[in-house]
Amino acid sequence: MSVQAAARLRGKDLVGIDPLSAGEIQLLLDTAEQMRDIAARPIKKVPALRGKTVVNLFFEASTRTRFSFEVAEKRLSADSLNFAAAASSVSKGETLIDTALNLEAMQPDFIVLRHQYAGAPHQLARILKSSVINAGDGAHEHPTQALLDALTIRLKRGSLEGLVVAIVGDLQHSRVVRSNILLLSRMGAKVRVAGPPSLIPPGMGEMGCEVYGRMEDAIAGADVVMMLRIQLERQGRMNFPTVREYYDFFALTPERLKLARKDCLVMHPGPMNRGVEIDSRVADGPQSVILEQVTNGVAVRMAVLYLLAGGHGEPTAD
Amino acid sequence: MHRVQVLDARGISRALERMAAELVEQVGDEKLLYFVGVQTRGVPLARRLANLVADATGHEPPVGALDISLYRDDVGPWRAAHQQPILRDTELPVAIDKKVICLVDDVLYTGRTVRAALDTLMDYGRPQAIRLAVLIDRGHRELPVAADYVGRVVPTSRAEDVQVHLKESDGEEGVWIAKEVGK
Amino acid sequence: MSRLLIKHARVVDPSQRLDEGLDILVADGKIARLAERIDDREATVLDGTGLVAAPGFVDLHVHLREPGFEYKETVATGTAAAVAGGFTAVCCMPNTEPVNDSAAVTEFIRARAAEAGLARVYPIGAVSKNLEGTELAEMGEMVRAGAVAFSDDGKPVQNAYLMRRALEYAQLFDVPVVDHCEDRDLAAKGVMHEGAVSTRLGLRGMPAAAEEVMAARDCVLAELTGGRVHVAHVSTRGALERVHEAKGRGVAVSCEVTPHHLALTDQAVADSEYDTDTKMNPPLRSAEHVDALLHGVLDGTVDCLATDHAPHHADEKALEFDLAPFGVVGLETAVPVTYDLLVRRHKLPLRLYVALWSTNPARLFRLPGGTLKVGSPADVTLLDLEARTTVNPDRFRSASRNTPFAGQRLKGWPAATVVGGKVVWRRDRK
């Protein structure tokens, strides 16, 4: 199955992987690959988004994702503005919609939104004229993460088709796993997810993957192993007892890594909890592509901004 | 669509041969020459010119490809129903500094593509000079741009479309002027 | 008061097994005569040609929001919505502010209803003081003031001991306890049905088990105490099975189902892209549960329909899905949604449909009405089963607009509503 890249992205927003066709995903990955080259130039900047305003509206703190978006925005010569909103719109007194409408009154071209509640990007996309890019909404999706994960795999392996990708961790609360299942399965990869049974949401298999309660079963013979960050402080101890027990049964150790293919790629969306879900020897080992994920993150975000920004129907310059 | 052929395969070869000869005559030191084709059809044309120069001088000039999409001046409104040009490869195998770049494109029209190509190149280095070679000049300049080497001048109206087809990309060779029937 | 003569309607009255063309004469607010042809020169004539005349519809579960939340709805706007929906009587839930846990608030609500002069209002009093779930409220005083049942709705009666005692005590007044069946711990702050859709949308889910566990508990307690339990807004197959099984053993348990739980599945949340007008509690369930509910309605396991009309202000519903309050309005879409689904599509006989909205609920809560027998109150619902129109929330008489049915084109609408012999609402003719 070789996927034909679409000619354009439908719609003005990127709210998730779910609405994207395989062709649109291919277009995003192809464009991102081109964008990587800009980092290698003497002048790491192109004027493609000159004069465009991008507002990074982050309701959830996130230094690295926001930073990555900022670099991407600046490399395309856009004007990048950061709006770090207080944690809860209710506690602040101003609703999400009011915050967004107030920002829109200043005519931004893009709003990059990270929010702790699923569906927030959809709400904004409906009412704003600006292009809305989802940088993570609750446990729902993190589309640019899945895109950069896919790009990383593709650069190493040539194509996603037929690869076995295992994703391990707190599946219940992870938006990264949801976006990845959708993207990878749509592009022809075989996805296996694993996590403690008390953290497996119902019906996840229907999104396009096989679900395992034991990590070893998911990793066996895999081409890629992606470890998710476990956050015990968020859900309390009713879902999982302790960090120590997590490490004993669900961490990627050198021994467990041997169950995968010899050249299996090791990935992590970051930030890592060393010694919790991933052993340092693996994180820093030769199979790890964790830092390349970060590099590719900038390229992917540049591709998203570029493709969502307008052009006229037909190229006019001749 | 109604099309009229203005140049056939032989006409294209002859034009390119003549342009290569002019280039060699005027450049002085052919070792400074560096052909850079504007994506997409400028690229095979650049290769052909480089080969012709190689035949004539015994020296093979480097050939690069330039994608100008990120420097275009028509990145329009941010609404839906739009299409960004697809990004293609930019490959400059050799540094452009101190070289005499021969920018190559199939059709020169408004001059905006050339403007974008110049800006793109400038971000890669500082060439000694940039020359422009085009297969077809169809008129209607909107910017003060002129080609140094022209294969054929073909006057057109704005309603017409110039189609350059090359065997490398289109499976046929020739230049046609096309017009929508019954507008 | 002058007499009212409803002529040429098709009279469908399950309490008398009637389904025929009859004229209805109303005098002194009561049904005076039913006959094939009645002439009365002095009576006001209501032309029922092409319409169905049924005993006035009764909605056992609405939230009128007054006192305390008048910005969402008042008794006046709520009863106006009721009669526009074809309802002659409603039972209103006690989660107001102050909570209806006293005779004073019960009387206040009834006084407001009398002032509005539209639908009859029978208040449902709180089971526990201030809905806190720790102490019984004054059931007796509230019954004297007009309460017809007790409930802590919006909330479950989470404490099983309290539920037991409430069921025992309520027998003194022969009233049912209505439970919102939801185990709060299992529900774990979910915002929609727990299933493949909630997983895909990244929203916390409430498992069907949270409802089933409570419904099972309530059936056991009803059997233990001999009291009457009415399961509010049943939404799961499991809860329905428990009710069915308990009934089979003679336990005094009954249940109601809402129109939205029959017409929509959890997929509506995904299809609408997190529209908060698809957020309510209990949530829209997956197809397997909706099918079971439909079967339960068709085979008689479900005793009656009720809307759980829950108005909310647009500002409140304009929040993120996680933060928006639960609930949708239902009075003005109840008839078209259920008629279209049950009678037109699933071929439920009309008299059974009418019974689900009138005879059955009236009987369950021992309310006057649900019948057109001579001598009974002249509460009549007239339906135009051929009318086909689009749901337009801007034309609602309710103060709120939070409906998942906006824009749907439905067949079978109320045409006129008569309460105590007075025509309190008529459909505008264009």
Side-chain angles (χ1 to χ4, degrees):
Chain A
M1 173 186 125
S2 108
V3 180
Q4 169 83 354
R8 64 162 75 113
L9 295 181
R10 292 164 297 156
K12 66 171 175 74
D13 314 289
L14 181 70
V15 294
I17 299 293
D18 212 349
L20 297 177
S21 66
E24 287 170 306
I25 295 171
Q26 185 81 346
L27 175 63
L28 280 159
L29 294 176
D30 290 345
T31 306
E33 219 173 302
Q34 294 294 351
M35 293 295 188
R36 270 174 45 106
D37 295 341
I38 296 173
R41 297 185 188 189
I43 296 184
K44 296 179 184 30
K45 215 174 172 59
V46 293
L49 257 55
R50 195 172 63 97
K52 301 284 190 193
T53 307
V54 184
V55 174
N56 297 321
L57 183 55
F58 276 56
F59 285 87
E60 256 186 357
S62 153
T63 319
R64 61 181 53 222
T65 303
R66 211 198 67 201
F67 194 77
S68 178
F69 267 103
E70 259 193 84
V71 173
E73 290 149 18
K74 289 174 157 71
R75 290 222 170 123
L76 291 172
S77 301
D79 293 324
S80 179
L81 303 166
N82 294 317
F83 192 102
S88 157
S89 61
V90 171
S91 68
K92 229 179 78 176
E94 190 180 43
T95 64
L96 167 67
I97 293 187
D98 277 338
T99 305
L101 287 174
N102 272 285
L103 284 174
E104 184 171 59
M106 299 183 255
Q107 276 126 24
D109 300 281
F110 295 88
I111 295 199
V112 177
L113 177 71
R114 168 166 284 196
H115 200 278
Q116 69 266 42
Y117 291 128
H122 302 71
Q123 233 184 335
L124 291 196
R126 262 197 290 272
I127 59 172
L128 297 184
K129 295 197 211 81
S130 318
S131 288
V132 176
I133 298 176
N134 183 3
D137 64 327
H140 176 231
E141 282 225 47
H142 192 357
T144 56
Q145 180 70 43
L147 285 164
L148 74 89
D149 289 338
L151 180 63
T152 307
I153 298 172
R154 199 173 87 158
L155 287 169
K156 287 289 201 205
R157 290 280 180 270
S159 152
L160 296 167
E161 207 193 325
L163 293 182
V164 174
V165 180
I167 309 178
V168 180
D170 175 0
L171 305 176
Q172 173 82 46
H173 298 101
S174 169
R175 51 187 170 223
V176 171
V177 74
R178 285 166 173 83
S179 291
N180 266 298
I181 293 171
L182 292 171
L183 190 154
L184 291 167
S185 61
R186 211 159 281 177
M187 300 304 277
K190 202 159 121 115
V191 185
R192 299 186 195 147
V193 301
S198 47
L199 286 171
I200 299 180
M204 187 159 250
E206 285 176 47
M207 291 181 69
C209 62
E210 286 164 16
V211 183
Y212 296 87
R214 282 182 69 239
M215 178 177 182
E216 290 77 359
D217 298 332
I219 299 188
D223 296 288
V224 179
V225 175
M226 205 183 282
M227 299 306 294
L228 302 171
R229 180 183 160 83
I230 178 87
Q231 282 162 262
L232 277 180
E233 74 277 1
R234 206 200 271 177
Q235 60 260 22
R237 300 300 159 110
M238 286 206 203
N239 299 321
F240 202 89
T242 58
V243 159
R244 173 171 65 187
E245 195 142 302
Y246 193 86
Y247 181 86
D248 285 344
F249 294 95
F250 285 95
L252 187 61
T253 58
E255 294 71 39
R256 288 208 176 98
L257 184 56
K258 290 203 185 88
L259 295 168
R261 273 183 52 156
K262 262 185 44 195
D263 56 355
C264 174
L265 300 176
V266 171
M267 300 178 69
H268 191 300
M272 289 188 280
N273 284 318
R274 287 169 179 273
V276 179
E277 71 263 0
I278 188 164
D279 191 295
S280 281
R281 289 168 286 170
V282 172
D284 302 328
Q287 292 167 252
S288 164
V289 292
I290 294 174
L291 292 175
E292 286 165 63
Q293 286 174 271
V294 177
T295 308
N296 294 331
V298 176
V300 151
R301 287 159 182 141
M302 288 172 74
V304 170
L305 287 161
Y306 173 74
L307 287 170
L308 287 179
H312 301 297
E314 285 302 312
T316 56
D318 254 310
Chain B
M1 198 51 96
H2 169 76
R3 68 178 200 172
V4 167
Q5 186 161 22
V6 295
L7 210 55
D8 62 8
R10 207 158 59 135
I12 291 178
S13 323
R14 290 232 174 108
L16 290 174
E17 282 160 19
R18 175 179 44 77
M19 288 160 73
E22 287 171 17
L23 257 162
V24 166
E25 187 184 67
Q26 289 171 13
V27 77
D29 182 1
E30 66 271 5
K31 293 197 198 56
L32 292 178
L33 265 180
Y34 187 168
F35 288 91
V36 176
V38 177
Q39 290 280 17
T40 50
R41 290 191 180 82
V43 179
L45 289 173
R47 250 182 240 119
R48 290 194 205 181
L49 280 173
N51 288 338
L52 286 166
V53 166
D55 290 341
T57 65
H59 167 81
E60 215 177 300
V63 180
L66 198 70
D67 181 82
I68 57 121
S69 312
L70 297 170
Y71 287 78
R72 295 171 65 99
D73 66 357
D74 60 349
V75 173
W78 34 253
R79 283 196 173 261
H82 57 261
Q83 180 173 338
Q84 283 288 41
I86 302 209
L87 298 188
R88 305 198 190 276
D89 292 334
T90 291
E91 272 171 45
L92 298 169
V94 171
I96 63 171
D97 300 288
K98 302 204 180 82
K99 294 281 194 187
V100 172
I101 305 288
C102 183
L103 206 52
V104 184
D105 206 0
D106 55 342
V107 178
L108 174 58
Y109 184 22
T110 60
R112 294 182 187 274
T113 298
V114 173
R115 196 273 326 151
L118 291 174
D119 281 347
T120 314
L121 271 179
M122 299 302 194
D123 277 355
Y124 275 91
R126 195 174 189 282
Q128 176 173 305
I130 300 178
R131 308 265 178 260
L132 176 63
V134 297
L135 183 63
I136 303 289
D137 178 348
R138 66 171 289 194
H140 300 287
R141 216 75 75 235
E142 290 174 7
L143 297 177
V145 168
D148 299 289
Y149 308 97
V150 181
R152 171 79 64 97
V153 175
V154 178
T156 60
S157 78
R158 284 187 173 279
E160 289 165 327
D161 191 32
V162 175
Q163 294 172 354
V164 173
H165 285 183
L166 305 173
K167 60 178 181 319
E168 293 93 327
S169 46
D170 309 287
E172 61 175 352
E173 281 274 302
V175 181
W176 288 263
I177 299 184
K179 191 182 195 152
E180 278 292 329
V181 178
K183 269 220 181 108
Chain C
M1 182 175 52
S2 74
R3 295 192 287 279
L4 177 69
L5 179 57
I6 303 172
K7 282 192 82 67
H8 309 307
R10 173 183 169 194
V11 175
V12 178
D13 181 359
S15 73
Q16 300 181 81
R17 298 183 170 286
L18 276 178
D19 183 352
E20 51 189 282
L22 291 172
D23 290 354
I24 306 173
L25 180 63
V26 169
D28 294 325
K30 295 203 184 10
I31 307 284
R33 229 183 118 206
L34 288 167
E36 218 180 283
R37 189 184 144 153
I38 302 174
D39 289 304
D40 185 329
R41 296 277 152 75
E42 269 135 47
T44 316
V45 173
L46 175 56
D47 184 12
T49 311
L51 304 180
V52 164
F57 284 8
V58 177
D59 190 342
L60 295 185
H61 192 145
V62 312
H63 295 268
L64 293 180
R65 303 299 190 204
E66 189 179 4
F69 302 107
E70 291 82 358
Y71 67 95
K72 301 183 204 238
E73 191 87 284
T74 62
V75 173
T77 59
T79 51
V83 298
F87 292 93
T88 57
V90 300
C91 300
C92 60
M93 285 297 182
N95 58 337
T96 48
E97 197 171 282
V99 165
N100 183 9
D101 60 4
S102 67
V105 178
T106 304
E107 275 159 17
F108 170 80
I109 294 171
R110 296 206 64 201
R112 278 292 206 230
E115 268 168 45
L118 299 169
R120 299 180 200 274
V121 176
Y122 300 105
I124 296 178
V127 168
S128 65
K129 280 216 183 85
N130 206 30
L131 299 179
E132 276 164 17
T134 52
E135 289 175 41
L136 280 181
E138 287 183 308
M139 287 191 190
E141 300 299 325
M142 283 190 270
V143 166
R144 277 204 186 137
V148 299
F150 292 92
S151 180
D152 275 358
D153 186 75
K155 295 178 176 177
V157 180
Q158 182 76 34
N159 185 313
Y161 183 82
L162 180 69
M163 184 64 175
R164 174 197 183 164
R165 296 306 180 204
L167 281 167
E168 287 166 346
Y169 190 64
Q171 287 173 68
L172 186 54
F173 315 103
D174 193 22
V175 285
V177 175
V178 180
D179 200 15
H180 165 113
C181 290
E182 177 194 346
D183 184 299
R184 281 278 152 107
D185 296 317
L186 267 182
K189 300 207 179 68
V191 297
M192 68 172 289
H193 173 66
E194 185 190 270
V197 178
S198 68
T199 294
R200 195 182 190 108
L201 293 181
L203 292 172
R204 269 187 320 270
M206 294 184 253
E211 178 176 291
E212 189 180 340
V213 154
M214 272 308 214
R217 178 200 80 168
D218 287 348
C219 290
V220 167
L221 293 178
E223 190 166 9
L224 173 67
T225 61
R228 290 161 57 202
V229 162
H230 180 76
V231 178
H233 45 50
V234 173
S235 69
T236 63
R237 188 185 62 183
L240 200 60
E241 280 170 2
R242 303 284 171 175
V243 168
H244 181 77
E245 186 268 337
K247 274 189 190 180
R249 285 183 294 109
V251 179
V253 58
S254 59
C255 67
E256 72 196 25
V257 172
T258 71
H260 49 268
H261 286 113
L262 293 169
L264 301 169
T265 65
D266 53 355
Q267 187 60 32
V269 182
D271 292 342
S272 69
E273 292 195 327
Y274 299 88
D275 188 331
T276 57
D277 287 339
T278 60
K279 180 179 181 182
M280 72 288 284
N281 191 3
L284 298 172
R285 301 281 185 190
S286 59
E288 148 203 6
H289 295 285
V290 173
D291 284 343
L293 292 178
L294 270 169
H295 278 112
V297 169
L298 298 172
D299 75 13
T301 309
V302 172
D303 296 279
C304 65
L305 301 170
T307 63
D308 193 4
H309 175 88
H312 288 294
H313 194 277
D315 288 345
E316 298 170 304
K317 280 294 205 177
L319 295 174
E320 298 88 314
F321 199 91
D322 275 270
L323 298 179
F326 290 102
V328 293
V329 291
L331 284 167
E332 293 171 88
T333 51
V335 165
V337 167
T338 51
Y339 177 79
D340 202 272
L341 178 69
L342 297 170
V343 180
R344 249 178 29 97
R345 281 197 269 150
H346 288 273
K347 314 292 181 212
L348 179 70
L350 187 60
R351 67 181 157 77
L352 290 180
Y353 175 75
V354 167
L356 285 167
W357 277 121
S358 60
T359 317
N360 292 2
R363 192 192 60 230
L364 271 176
F365 279 23
R366 316 241 205 278
L367 304 173
T371 176
L372 294 175
K373 276 200 186 98
V374 168
S376 52
D379 291 352
V380 187
T381 295
L382 286 130
L383 304 170
D384 182 351
L385 301 180
E386 294 306 309
R388 184 180 246 127
T389 194
T390 308
V391 175
N392 181 359
D394 290 331
R395 306 194 64 200
F396 282 177
R397 275 155 191 83
S398 166
S400 292
R401 306 262 172 279
N402 49 318
T403 174
F405 297 113
Q408 279 200 30
R409 198 158 166 73
L410 298 166
K411 192 172 176 201
W413 288 78
T417 308
V418 177
V419 175
K422 200 170 114 187
V423 180
V424 289
W425 177 80
R426 277 187 85 156
R427 198 107 180 287
D428 310 316
R429 314 264 152 138
K430 266 175 229 146

